[in-house]
Amino acid sequence: MNKKIIVSGVAIIMALSLQSFTMKPTDDGVMKKEDGVYVINTTKIGKDIEGYNGNTPLKIYIKKNKVEKIEFLKNQETPKYFVKVKKAFQDVWNGLKVKDAKAKQVDALTGATFSSEAVIKNVQIGLEYYQKNK
């Protein structure tokens, strides 16, 4: 009797877990589609990616499977250094197909290493999310 209950419980948990991985996002706050443009917000999915002073969330705009632009969201990075990061990375991925943008090797910016590495990681995780959930 106990064995059947345990097996049934495990089966239910596995089914629910599998369902959560295969469900398409609807209004999860991560990805939405507006006028044919997918907008991926990395605030939630990149919450563990830290720059020098905390998270560096982004919005990634994708149209017809190409990156249109990267928008830098509010963060706690030192403005003096983050301005350099924005200038260096603002257009790096623009116009690239998602798979090419994801594969692009981008070096961190000297003097703002933690911040720039966090931006790069947020772009990577956002593009990966898009590929899995579009």
Side-chain angles (χ1 to χ4, degrees), residues 99-123:
K99 77 172 193 170
D100 296 334
K102 192 175 164 195
K104 186 169 180 70
Q105 296 295 313
V106 180
D107 293 328
L109 190 64
T110 303
T113 306
F114 292 117
S115 301
S116 56
E117 286 177 347
V119 167
I120 294 165
K121 288 177 185 175
N122 269 289
V123 169

mmCIF file of all heavy atoms in Angstrom, residues 99-123:
data_model
loop_
_atom_site.group_PDB
_atom_site.id
_atom_site.type_symbol
_atom_site.label_atom_id
_atom_site.label_comp_id
_atom_site.label_asym_id
_atom_site.label_seq_id
_atom_site.Cartn_x
_atom_site.Cartn_y
_atom_site.Cartn_z
ATOM 1 N N LYS A 99 20.872 33.006 -32.727
ATOM 2 C CA LYS A 99 21.907 31.984 -32.514
ATOM 3 C C LYS A 99 23.309 32.582 -32.665
ATOM 4 O O LYS A 99 24.226 32.199 -31.952
ATOM 5 C CB LYS A 99 21.706 30.774 -33.421
ATOM 6 C CG LYS A 99 22.123 30.961 -34.848
ATOM 7 C CD LYS A 99 22.073 29.654 -35.607
ATOM 8 C CE LYS A 99 22.800 29.881 -36.904
ATOM 9 N NZ LYS A 99 23.078 28.757 -37.679
ATOM 10 N N ASP A 100 23.476 33.539 -33.573
ATOM 11 C CA ASP A 100 24.782 34.192 -33.745
ATOM 12 C C ASP A 100 25.088 35.129 -32.573
ATOM 13 O O ASP A 100 26.223 35.211 -32.110
ATOM 14 C CB ASP A 100 24.828 34.972 -35.059
ATOM 15 C CG ASP A 100 24.707 34.050 -36.267
ATOM 16 O OD1 ASP A 100 25.071 32.856 -36.166
ATOM 17 O OD2 ASP A 100 24.221 34.520 -37.317
ATOM 18 N N ALA A 101 24.062 35.824 -32.095
ATOM 19 C CA ALA A 101 24.241 36.725 -30.949
ATOM 20 C C ALA A 101 24.604 35.916 -29.706
ATOM 21 O O ALA A 101 25.471 36.327 -28.917
ATOM 22 C CB ALA A 101 22.973 37.531 -30.710
ATOM 23 N N LYS A 102 23.972 34.776 -29.559
ATOM 24 C CA LYS A 102 24.241 33.917 -28.407
ATOM 25 C C LYS A 102 25.669 33.370 -28.459
ATOM 26 O O LYS A 102 26.324 33.227 -27.433
ATOM 27 C CB LYS A 102 23.225 32.779 -28.388
ATOM 28 C CG LYS A 102 23.207 32.001 -27.121
ATOM 29 C CD LYS A 102 22.080 30.987 -27.150
ATOM 30 C CE LYS A 102 22.286 29.958 -26.078
ATOM 31 N NZ LYS A 102 21.477 28.787 -26.251
ATOM 32 N N ALA A 103 26.164 33.086 -29.649
ATOM 33 C CA ALA A 103 27.511 32.526 -29.818
ATOM 34 C C ALA A 103 28.603 33.595 -29.831
ATOM 35 O O ALA A 103 29.786 33.266 -29.720
ATOM 36 C CB ALA A 103 27.568 31.720 -31.114
ATOM 37 N N LYS A 104 28.230 34.850 -29.957
ATOM 38 C CA LYS A 104 29.208 35.927 -30.064
ATOM 39 C C LYS A 104 30.077 36.014 -28.813
ATOM 40 O O LYS A 104 29.587 36.051 -27.698
ATOM 41 C CB LYS A 104 28.506 37.267 -30.302
ATOM 42 C CG LYS A 104 29.472 38.408 -30.576
ATOM 43 C CD LYS A 104 28.729 39.623 -31.069
ATOM 44 C CE LYS A 104 29.640 40.784 -31.348
ATOM 45 N NZ LYS A 104 30.487 40.596 -32.507
ATOM 46 N N GLN A 105 31.374 36.040 -29.017
ATOM 47 C CA GLN A 105 32.327 36.183 -27.922
ATOM 48 C C GLN A 105 32.563 37.671 -27.675
ATOM 49 O O GLN A 105 33.051 38.376 -28.559
ATOM 50 C CB GLN A 105 33.652 35.492 -28.262
ATOM 51 C CG GLN A 105 33.531 33.991 -28.432
ATOM 52 C CD GLN A 105 33.137 33.298 -27.136
ATOM 53 O OE1 GLN A 105 33.694 33.561 -26.094
ATOM 54 N NE2 GLN A 105 32.148 32.420 -27.223
ATOM 55 N N VAL A 106 32.190 38.130 -26.490
ATOM 56 C CA VAL A 106 32.332 39.542 -26.144
ATOM 57 C C VAL A 106 33.212 39.631 -24.910
ATOM 58 O O VAL A 106 32.982 38.945 -23.915
ATOM 59 C CB VAL A 106 30.947 40.171 -25.846
ATOM 60 C CG1 VAL A 106 31.099 41.631 -25.486
ATOM 61 C CG2 VAL A 106 30.025 40.003 -27.045
ATOM 62 N N ASP A 107 34.237 40.462 -24.985
ATOM 63 C CA ASP A 107 35.149 40.633 -23.861
ATOM 64 C C ASP A 107 34.591 41.649 -22.871
ATOM 65 O O ASP A 107 33.951 42.628 -23.253
ATOM 66 C CB ASP A 107 36.517 41.117 -24.344
ATOM 67 C CG ASP A 107 37.242 40.063 -25.174
ATOM 68 O OD1 ASP A 107 37.054 38.856 -24.899
ATOM 69 O OD2 ASP A 107 37.997 40.441 -26.090
ATOM 70 N N ALA A 108 34.902 41.416 -21.600
ATOM 71 C CA ALA A 108 34.515 42.361 -20.559
ATOM 72 C C ALA A 108 35.305 43.651 -20.731
ATOM 73 O O ALA A 108 36.393 43.667 -21.311
ATOM 74 C CB ALA A 108 34.785 41.754 -19.181
ATOM 75 N N LEU A 109 34.758 44.718 -20.233
ATOM 76 C CA LEU A 109 35.360 46.043 -20.344
ATOM 77 C C LEU A 109 36.306 46.263 -19.167
ATOM 78 O O LEU A 109 35.906 46.148 -18.011
ATOM 79 C CB LEU A 109 34.243 47.086 -20.341
ATOM 80 C CG LEU A 109 34.585 48.508 -20.679
ATOM 81 C CD1 LEU A 109 35.083 48.610 -22.114
ATOM 82 C CD2 LEU A 109 33.346 49.372 -20.508
ATOM 83 N N THR A 110 37.558 46.580 -19.452
ATOM 84 C CA THR A 110 38.525 46.860 -18.404
ATOM 85 C C THR A 110 38.065 48.073 -17.602
ATOM 86 O O THR A 110 37.658 49.075 -18.156
ATOM 87 C CB THR A 110 39.927 47.128 -19.016
ATOM 88 O OG1 THR A 110 40.298 45.998 -19.793
ATOM 89 C CG2 THR A 110 40.956 47.377 -17.938
ATOM 90 N N GLY A 111 38.120 47.948 -16.287
ATOM 91 C CA GLY A 111 37.691 49.037 -15.410
ATOM 92 C C GLY A 111 36.244 48.910 -14.987
ATOM 93 O O GLY A 111 35.806 49.571 -14.059
ATOM 94 N N ALA A 112 35.504 48.073 -15.671
ATOM 95 C CA ALA A 112 34.106 47.805 -15.310
ATOM 96 C C ALA A 112 33.830 46.327 -15.572
ATOM 97 O O ALA A 112 32.809 45.948 -16.138
ATOM 98 C CB ALA A 112 33.168 48.694 -16.117
ATOM 99 N N THR A 113 34.768 45.505 -15.144
ATOM 100 C CA THR A 113 34.727 44.076 -15.449
ATOM 101 C C THR A 113 33.473 43.393 -14.924
ATOM 102 O O THR A 113 32.777 42.693 -15.667
ATOM 103 C CB THR A 113 35.980 43.371 -14.883
ATOM 104 O OG1 THR A 113 37.142 44.045 -15.367
ATOM 105 C CG2 THR A 113 36.035 41.919 -15.305
ATOM 106 N N PHE A 114 33.160 43.572 -13.638
ATOM 107 C CA PHE A 114 32.002 42.886 -13.056
ATOM 108 C C PHE A 114 30.703 43.314 -13.726
ATOM 109 O O PHE A 114 29.842 42.493 -14.031
ATOM 110 C CB PHE A 114 31.915 43.142 -11.543
ATOM 111 C CG PHE A 114 33.032 42.501 -10.767
ATOM 112 C CD1 PHE A 114 33.926 43.284 -10.065
ATOM 113 C CD2 PHE A 114 33.184 41.127 -10.734
ATOM 114 C CE1 PHE A 114 34.962 42.703 -9.345
ATOM 115 C CE2 PHE A 114 34.213 40.535 -10.021
ATOM 116 C CZ PHE A 114 35.105 41.327 -9.318
ATOM 117 N N SER A 115 30.567 44.606 -13.955
ATOM 118 C CA SER A 115 29.344 45.125 -14.584
ATOM 119 C C SER A 115 29.197 44.609 -16.004
ATOM 120 O O SER A 115 28.118 44.184 -16.419
ATOM 121 C CB SER A 115 29.354 46.651 -14.591
ATOM 122 O OG SER A 115 29.442 47.159 -13.287
ATOM 123 N N SER A 116 30.277 44.652 -16.766
ATOM 124 C CA SER A 116 30.185 44.215 -18.159
ATOM 125 C C SER A 116 29.978 42.705 -18.258
ATOM 126 O O SER A 116 29.224 42.237 -19.116
ATOM 127 C CB SER A 116 31.407 44.669 -18.964
ATOM 128 O OG SER A 116 32.613 44.232 -18.394
ATOM 129 N N GLU A 117 30.604 41.928 -17.379
ATOM 130 C CA GLU A 117 30.372 40.484 -17.385
ATOM 131 C C GLU A 117 28.917 40.163 -17.050
ATOM 132 O O GLU A 117 28.329 39.249 -17.628
ATOM 133 C CB GLU A 117 31.314 39.782 -16.402
ATOM 134 C CG GLU A 117 32.738 39.708 -16.912
ATOM 135 C CD GLU A 117 33.702 39.069 -15.923
ATOM 136 O OE1 GLU A 117 33.346 38.895 -14.725
ATOM 137 O OE2 GLU A 117 34.833 38.752 -16.336
ATOM 138 N N ALA A 118 28.330 40.933 -16.137
ATOM 139 C CA ALA A 118 26.924 40.724 -15.783
ATOM 140 C C ALA A 118 26.011 41.036 -16.972
ATOM 141 O O ALA A 118 25.038 40.321 -17.213
ATOM 142 C CB ALA A 118 26.553 41.575 -14.577
ATOM 143 N N VAL A 119 26.312 42.080 -17.715
ATOM 144 C CA VAL A 119 25.524 42.420 -18.901
ATOM 145 C C VAL A 119 25.626 41.293 -19.926
ATOM 146 O O VAL A 119 24.616 40.846 -20.474
ATOM 147 C CB VAL A 119 25.983 43.767 -19.513
ATOM 148 C CG1 VAL A 119 25.393 43.969 -20.906
ATOM 149 C CG2 VAL A 119 25.598 44.923 -18.594
ATOM 150 N N ILE A 120 26.822 40.820 -20.173
ATOM 151 C CA ILE A 120 27.031 39.732 -21.129
ATOM 152 C C ILE A 120 26.240 38.492 -20.714
ATOM 153 O O ILE A 120 25.548 37.871 -21.532
ATOM 154 C CB ILE A 120 28.536 39.411 -21.277
ATOM 155 C CG1 ILE A 120 29.275 40.590 -21.912
ATOM 156 C CG2 ILE A 120 28.748 38.128 -22.079
ATOM 157 C CD1 ILE A 120 30.791 40.524 -21.786
ATOM 158 N N LYS A 121 26.301 38.137 -19.438
ATOM 159 C CA LYS A 121 25.575 36.963 -18.942
ATOM 160 C C LYS A 121 24.064 37.160 -19.058
ATOM 161 O O LYS A 121 23.336 36.228 -19.384
ATOM 162 C CB LYS A 121 25.960 36.672 -17.495
ATOM 163 C CG LYS A 121 27.353 36.112 -17.351
ATOM 164 C CD LYS A 121 27.721 35.915 -15.892
ATOM 165 C CE LYS A 121 29.169 35.468 -15.749
ATOM 166 N NZ LYS A 121 29.570 35.396 -14.334
ATOM 167 N N ASN A 122 23.583 38.372 -18.788
ATOM 168 C CA ASN A 122 22.150 38.645 -18.921
ATOM 169 C C ASN A 122 21.694 38.517 -20.371
ATOM 170 O O ASN A 122 20.609 38.001 -20.635
ATOM 171 C CB ASN A 122 21.805 40.031 -18.371
ATOM 172 C CG ASN A 122 21.437 39.992 -16.918
ATOM 173 O OD1 ASN A 122 20.375 39.498 -16.560
ATOM 174 N ND2 ASN A 122 22.309 40.500 -16.067
ATOM 175 N N VAL A 123 22.503 38.977 -21.288
ATOM 176 C CA VAL A 123 22.165 38.825 -22.707
ATOM 177 C C VAL A 123 22.105 37.344 -23.052
ATOM 178 O O VAL A 123 21.145 36.880 -23.679
ATOM 179 C CB VAL A 123 23.164 39.567 -23.623
ATOM 180 C CG1 VAL A 123 22.964 39.176 -25.084
ATOM 181 C CG2 VAL A 123 23.039 41.076 -23.447
#
